[in-house]
Amino acid sequence: MSNKEGAGGFRKRKHDSFPHGPRREGKDVNASSPVMVALQITPDMEEILTESEIKLDGVRQKILQVAQELLGEEMHQFHRAITTGLQEYVEAVSFQHFIRTRSLISMEEINKQLVFTTEDSGKENKTPSSDAHDKESGTWRLRITPVDYLLGVADLTGELMRMCINSVGNGDIDTPFEVSQFLRQVYDGFSFIGNTGPYEVSKKLYTLKQSLAKVENACYALKVRGSEIPKHMLADVFSVKTEMIDQEEGIS
């Protein structure tokens, strides 16, 4: 076996030895959806954030329709049918909030945005329900559950990892360090929950740990060699570093 063949074969075997089933290289959500496209990093950030807010308002109108459909019903009976969409909403809202503030939006803040009045719906009040509708104040609401919130935040970490790659590609070496610190705090929070929380939440720990490791190791490379690497090559350093981590995880 030649050196060239041996090196290539070895890398391939390390990568292929990892079971592909549990790994998620991409996301189930369409990355080219209007909300996610609107939230990509660009020079005119304020304009993009304003556009994303319009898109999110449209999503909130869809959530209002769901709240109206659930009037008089027990929401927990239908939660499995809507939880995936609510998680994606949490992910998008928390991503937008992070870009604006470099902080994590709370579940309470998200739920405040999901309280609607009759003016929001443009419809007459329907049969009241204690969970979804307040007859006296004329409002509808659909509450994000703690599980929806946690799973949405866990998916946010993958978006933040991609945000790092885009930022470094634009010569921005500050954002990766900000994201790294944030991801460490989120990971510590999930680790505290551990196996005591719902099974779906504990499953996210692996993916979250992957995202954190990739960002932290890339930040290490930038810290050590950042000043000597041309800006147009910084993204390559990030990609090489994350590829090495994937290979190491494949043989662990």
Side-chain angles (χ1 to χ4, degrees):
M1 181 184 297
S2 65
N3 292 337
K4 180 177 180 181
E5 180 182 359
F10 181 55
R11 285 196 300 270
K12 186 176 188 303
R13 284 197 299 272
K14 288 194 296 182
H15 182 74
D16 291 346
S17 65
F18 190 85
H20 291 281
R23 296 189 60 186
R24 293 178 59 193
E25 294 297 335
K27 288 183 60 59
D28 295 333
V29 65
N30 183 2
S32 62
S33 65
V35 172
M36 289 306 176
V37 170
L39 289 172
Q40 295 302 312
I41 304 304
T42 66
D44 195 355
M45 181 54 64
E46 194 56 42
E47 180 180 341
I48 296 299
L49 288 172
T50 300
E51 182 181 348
S52 72
E53 187 60 37
I54 296 174
K55 300 291 186 181
L56 289 172
D57 280 338
V59 176
R60 281 188 277 270
Q61 286 300 310
K62 297 295 184 182
I63 294 177
L64 167 60
Q65 294 176 18
V66 174
Q68 292 173 328
E69 288 293 328
L70 292 178
L71 290 179
E73 303 288 350
E74 175 56 55
M75 178 181 171
H76 297 291
Q77 295 180 356
F78 301 93
H79 183 251
R80 288 190 63 182
I82 63 176
T83 182
T84 301
L86 295 179
Q87 291 170 33
E88 297 295 342
Y89 174 74
V90 170
E91 178 184 1
V93 170
S94 58
F95 189 26
Q96 182 200 56
H97 185 84
F98 178 83
I99 293 174
R100 285 189 183 277
T101 67
R102 292 299 192 262
S103 63
L104 179 64
I105 190 171
S106 68
M107 187 176 70
E108 290 73 18
E109 290 177 273
I110 293 177
N111 280 329
K112 284 179 182 178
Q113 299 172 359
L114 300 181
V115 178
F116 310 96
T117 65
T118 52
E119 287 77 14
D120 295 320
S121 67
K123 298 181 181 180
E124 296 295 328
N125 290 357
K126 297 182 180 181
T127 305
S129 168
S130 59
D131 186 51
H133 181 256
D134 187 333
K135 184 176 181 180
E136 293 184 0
S137 61
T139 60
W140 287 265
R141 62 176 58 86
L142 197 155
R143 294 184 178 88
I144 298 293
T145 69
V147 173
D148 297 330
Y149 176 73
L150 289 172
L151 293 177
V153 170
D155 288 337
L156 166 68
T157 61
E159 288 299 331
L160 292 179
M161 184 185 68
R162 282 179 279 278
M163 177 183 174
C164 281
I165 298 175
N166 291 336
S167 298
V168 171
N170 293 329
D172 174 10
I173 61 174
D174 293 326
T175 293
F177 291 95
E178 295 171 347
V179 171
S180 176
Q181 182 178 9
F182 177 81
L183 288 182
R184 168 55 63 181
Q185 294 173 337
V186 172
Y187 178 75
D188 289 344
F190 271 79
S191 298
F192 180 78
I193 296 173
N195 294 327
T196 62
Y199 174 65
E200 298 89 347
V201 175
S202 62
K203 281 200 308 182
K204 294 287 186 178
L205 268 176
Y206 174 78
T207 304
L208 206 167
K209 183 178 181 180
Q210 268 194 321
S211 297
L212 174 62
K214 291 177 180 180
V215 171
E216 285 188 337
N217 279 274
C219 285
Y220 174 79
L222 292 174
K223 190 71 173 179
V224 173
R225 301 183 54 213
S227 60
E228 66 186 47
I229 303 175
K231 285 189 175 182
H232 68 278
M233 295 180 61
L234 287 174
D236 293 336
V237 173
F238 194 104
S239 299
V240 170
K241 203 67 179 175
T242 57
E243 181 181 352
M244 290 171 60
I245 296 168
D246 285 338
Q247 293 176 352
E248 290 170 0
E249 289 174 347
I251 61 173
S252 61

